[in-house]
Amino acid sequence: MNCKRIAFVFMALTLFVTSIAAAAPAANNAPTLSVDGEGTGIAAPDRATVTIGVTSQAADAGKAQSSNALTTEQVTKAIKALGIEAKDIQTNNYSFRPNYRTSDNRRHEISGYTVNNSIIVIVRDINKTGKVIDAALNAGANEIHSLDFAASNTQAIRKEALTKAVQDARDKADILAQGLGKRIIGIKNVSESTGYLESRRYDNAMLAASKTAAATTIEPGSLSLTARVHIDYILEN
């Protein structure tokens, strides 16, 4: 390679590097528009979880235990008769405790025993939720601790929420940019914060009301997931 060709290549590289260096500050100094967006995805519950309690009391420890075991077995059989599989019924909590007299001079005397057995039932056919509660109560259960509705597949709901959040941010950015007499030419930064698809829970008052009805009617309603995004848009100079 002769000296003239070397000089030409060196000059070309110098001009290329100089052009990049000149463009970088221009991009870094471009005005930005920061916008937050929010979107919500909606899902229909397809699964219910019911926590059922059986509490038994007796003066004799053995009778309290046997009475509770018998009632719990009857409750389990009634639930299985609705088509709930054994794998979807499990013990959540079991307690056995003595009861003491409340009078001042007899506080250390045992007056009886209390046994509590709580079971969790997963209802995969959501239309059977009310029937499971009724069957359990009719079989001897005396407590419904909680009822939660959930959706098994959250991917589609999360995608829906994020898509809406991005669109919300873009809509806001377009309005602001237009008002400023600017045009969006790019994106500098993006961050997102997506929540969880929270289960829908019936509180104790709602469950107590349902137990007084001839047949328990449960409305699962809908579940929601909210996503938030923060986007820094680049505006033209």
Side-chain angles (χ1 to χ4, degrees):
M1 183 181 293
N2 57 40
C3 294
K4 289 184 178 180
R5 189 170 183 181
I6 293 174
F8 177 78
V9 173
F10 178 77
M11 184 179 296
L13 289 172
T14 301
L15 290 173
F16 178 72
V17 171
T18 303
S19 64
I20 293 177
N28 291 333
N29 293 330
T32 58
L33 177 63
S34 298
V35 178
D36 293 321
E38 183 174 293
T40 300
I42 305 298
D46 59 9
R47 185 178 74 252
T49 302
V50 189
T51 305
I52 300 166
V54 177
T55 299
S56 306
Q57 293 183 333
D60 180 77
K63 288 182 179 179
Q65 191 278 332
S66 60
S67 174
N68 188 274
L70 177 60
T71 303
T72 301
E73 183 181 2
Q74 292 173 340
V75 169
T76 301
K77 286 182 178 179
I79 294 172
K80 287 181 178 179
L82 295 173
I84 307 298
E85 297 183 21
K87 67 182 180 65
D88 290 329
I89 304 173
Q90 60 183 358
T91 299
N92 178 51
N93 180 66
Y94 183 88
S95 65
F96 181 97
R97 67 180 186 275
N99 304 321
Y100 294 93
R101 301 187 187 279
T102 57
S103 57
D104 291 338
N105 59 340
R106 304 178 67 183
R107 288 194 177 208
H108 298 293
E109 293 183 18
I110 295 176
S111 60
Y113 297 87
T114 298
V115 180
N116 178 266
N117 193 354
S118 297
I119 58 174
I120 293 177
V121 181
I122 299 175
V123 185
R124 301 186 187 277
D125 181 354
I126 206 166
N127 295 319
K128 292 182 178 180
T129 306
K131 295 178 180 179
V132 167
I133 292 175
D134 289 337
L137 295 174
N138 291 333
N142 46 23
E143 296 177 26
I144 304 295
H145 295 301
S146 65
L147 168 60
D148 296 89
F149 288 102
S152 56
N153 184 7
T154 62
Q155 186 174 0
I157 303 100
R158 188 179 299 274
K159 181 178 180 180
E160 178 187 358
L162 282 170
T163 300
K164 289 181 177 178
V166 171
Q167 187 61 55
D168 181 46
R170 181 66 196 221
D171 290 343
K172 292 176 181 177
D174 286 338
I175 294 171
L176 292 171
Q178 185 178 2
L180 294 170
K182 297 288 186 178
R183 185 171 60 90
I184 295 174
I185 59 173
I187 294 175
K188 186 176 182 179
N189 292 307
V190 178
S191 62
E192 64 89 19
S193 174
T194 306
Y196 295 93
L197 187 65
E198 297 183 359
S199 61
R200 182 170 182 263
R201 169 166 287 201
Y202 272 65
D203 59 28
N204 290 334
M206 298 169 72
L207 291 171
S210 71
K211 286 189 287 186
T212 62
T216 303
T217 302
I218 301 295
E219 297 295 338
S222 61
L223 306 176
S224 63
L225 180 150
T226 301
R228 296 176 179 85
V229 297
H230 177 87
I231 303 177
D232 295 326
Y233 292 95
I234 301 174
L235 301 178
E236 64 181 353
N237 280 311

